[in-house]
Every structure is written in C-alpha cells, then in structure tokens.
Amino acid sequence: MNIPFRSRAALPGETGRFVMFVSGAVLLLAVLPILTMIVMSFSGASNLDFPPSSFSLQWYEAAWRTFVSPDASDVLSLGQALGTSLLVACLSMVLATLIAVPAAYALTRCEFRGKAVALQLMSLPLVFPMVVLGLALLLVFDSLPFHMDTSRLVIAHVILALPFVVKNCTAAMVSIGTEVEEAALMLGAPPLRAIIDVVVPLMRSGILAGMLLAFIVSFNEFTVTYFLYNIDVMTVPIWMYSRTVSSLDPTVFSFAVLIVLIDFALIWALEKLVGDGGVSF
C-alpha cells in the first residue's frame, strides 16, 4: 500500500524553508540600499554609475575636506551641520526625558479624568502627517514676536521624540510595584524623595532606552526640520539634501556611511538595553 507523501510538520520553534526564504528576501531588500550606498562610496569614477568601474578613497578624502570647510556649493561645512545635529539631538533627548519620566509616573500610578485622552494625545505625533506638523509649527513659530533658530528645532524634535520616551518609561514603570514606594515611605522618606531615590533608579533601563530613541529620532529627522531650518542653522539630513540638489556626486554616499555607522552604534546600544531590561518600544 503506497502512503502519500506528507511533509513533516514543523515542531514548535522551527521554521520552514518558505518562511526562511521570505525572511531572507525581506532582509536582503532592507540591506540592499545600504550595501549599494557603501559600494558607491568607494567608487573611483566621477559619476554615479553602478556598479562602479573602479574603486578608490577619493570621495572619502573629498568628504573630509568638506567636513572641515564648505566648498563653493555649500554655505556651511558638514562639521558645522553635524555640530548642530548633535546639539539639537542632545537637548531634545534631555528635555524629552525630563518630561517623559513624570508623565509616565502619572499615567501609571495616578487615576484622573481624561487619562485616556492624555494617552491618545501623547501618541498623536506618531500618526500625524509630518508635512502638516512641520507646516503648522512653522506658522506658530513665525507668529511669535521673537526670533527662534536652534530652539525651534529642539521644540519640534521634543514633540516627535516624546512618544517614544514616554512609552519606554511607562513600560518600565508597569514592572515596578507600589510596594517599593510604600516601603520607602514607611522608612520615613518624603514622597518626592521616594520617587527620586527608589522609583527612578528602577526605571533606569527604560529611561536610557527612551533617551537613545529620542536621540536617534532627532538626529535623523528631516521632514519637520525642513520647514524650520534656516541657512545658518542646518542639521546633517538637511545639509545632505541641499548638497544632492546642488551637485549630486558620490561624496554624498561617503557622508551617508558616517551617518549609518552612528545610527548602527546607537541601535546596537538600544538593543542591548532592551534585551537586558526587557523594555519594549
């Protein structure tokens, strides 16, 4: 009696060949643009032909010269734009964290009218169209009686990064029982001292993960920043965009490799924090 062929059922934890193939194809599509960019950054040609006919470090040398001082097509050097990006990202990270920690505590520990609405409003920047948000912020800042340069970029980036920081801090707060605060209060600590000395250290992994996410979001933000920057205050994404508009050459890929390396280091650190602390985002 012939038994028809049946494929072996996958055991729990095993993946079939089709799933592995689809996963590999998706991963390849995600990595392919980055690999193409890296290859093009080593091109020895004077144009953007792919694959390059020769390889050289000439565009990295040109990128270093542009990093130090602007060329004829640029107003600011990449070093100045990078300094602005780092300043805005650091300020946005700190301010978003200072707002998110008490907000996460209130959303977790306190019951108040409008709590559900507050949660929805906190997540609104995640789904709000970036073009509309940038235009709205531009109208608001231009209507003020005083001029703002870097500070309006910081405010905009705090708005964009705040949901990520609040989510991580809230996830960390959920795992902290109220008994730790009650024990601190029974030992004579004031309520604020109990929060600062007991609760905040236990939130460390969530706070650090949220800070890294805020830095990454701010450092790579383009759409909203495009509406708010000026010629003297320019972040790295805006600087790279302005260079591609004026003169598209492989130097741009050399700059992009630097940004990818920075983002990779930050994401690796974030994954270590998430893996060790169990914070979701």
Side-chain angles (χ1 to χ4, degrees):
M1 179 179 180
N2 294 328
I3 300 177
F5 173 76
R6 292 183 180 180
S7 60
R8 182 178 67 88
L11 297 175
E14 291 185 344
T15 56
R17 292 183 178 180
F18 177 75
V19 175
M20 294 180 63
F21 174 78
V22 172
S23 301
V26 172
L27 181 61
L28 178 62
L29 290 175
V31 176
L32 190 59
I34 298 177
L35 295 178
T36 303
M37 175 192 66
I38 294 175
V39 172
M40 289 301 300
S41 69
F42 290 99
S43 173
S46 58
N47 49 35
L48 291 176
D49 291 339
F50 184 83
S53 57
S54 61
F55 295 92
S56 172
L57 294 176
Q58 60 174 336
W59 299 115
Y60 284 93
E61 296 176 1
W64 171 250
R65 291 193 298 268
T66 308
F67 183 87
V68 176
S69 60
D71 56 23
S73 62
D74 297 317
V75 177
L76 300 176
S77 67
L78 176 61
Q80 293 172 303
L82 181 60
T84 301
S85 285
L86 292 175
L87 175 63
V88 172
C90 289
L91 291 176
S92 302
M93 175 183 68
V94 172
L95 292 177
T97 303
L98 293 177
I99 298 172
V101 172
Y105 183 88
L107 292 173
T108 306
R109 289 285 195 265
C110 305
E111 293 295 335
F112 54 90
R113 182 177 298 177
K115 181 177 179 179
V117 177
L119 287 171
Q120 294 296 327
L121 291 176
M122 195 69 67
S123 302
L124 189 60
L126 296 175
V127 297
F128 203 80
M130 294 294 102
V131 174
V132 178
L133 179 60
L135 181 59
L137 289 174
L138 176 63
L139 295 175
V140 171
F141 289 133
D142 284 347
S143 64
L144 297 177
F146 50 88
H147 184 66
M148 303 173 69
D149 288 332
T150 306
S151 54
R152 66 181 186 175
L153 292 181
V154 174
I155 294 173
H157 288 196
V158 168
I159 294 173
L160 294 174
L162 194 59
F164 298 96
V165 190
V166 170
K167 182 174 178 60
N168 278 272
C169 293
T170 303
M173 274 295 304
V174 170
S175 62
I176 303 173
T178 57
E179 61 273 6
V180 295
E181 294 175 72
E182 296 171 355
L185 294 175
M186 291 178 61
L187 293 174
L192 182 60
R193 186 68 180 272
I195 295 174
I196 296 175
D197 291 348
V198 178
V199 178
V200 172
L202 294 176
M203 294 173 62
R204 182 175 61 252
S205 60
I207 293 174
L208 292 177
M211 291 177 69
L212 281 176
L213 268 177
F215 187 94
I216 293 172
V217 169
S218 175
F219 190 77
N220 293 282
E221 166 55 33
F222 172 80
T223 307
V224 174
T225 308
Y226 182 78
F227 288 90
L228 303 177
Y229 86 98
N230 58 47
I231 200 66
D232 297 320
V233 180
M234 191 179 298
T235 60
V236 172
I238 298 297
W239 186 92
M240 293 178 62
Y241 172 76
S242 64
R243 187 171 180 86
T244 57
V245 170
S246 60
S247 60
L248 183 58
D249 57 56
T251 308
V252 176
F253 292 101
S254 303
F255 300 143
V257 171
L258 171 64
I259 304 304
V260 168
L261 291 176
I262 295 174
D263 289 338
F264 179 82
L266 292 173
I267 293 174
W268 178 84
L270 179 62
E271 289 295 330
K272 296 297 289 185
L273 286 174
V274 171
D276 295 338
V279 182
S280 61
F281 63 93

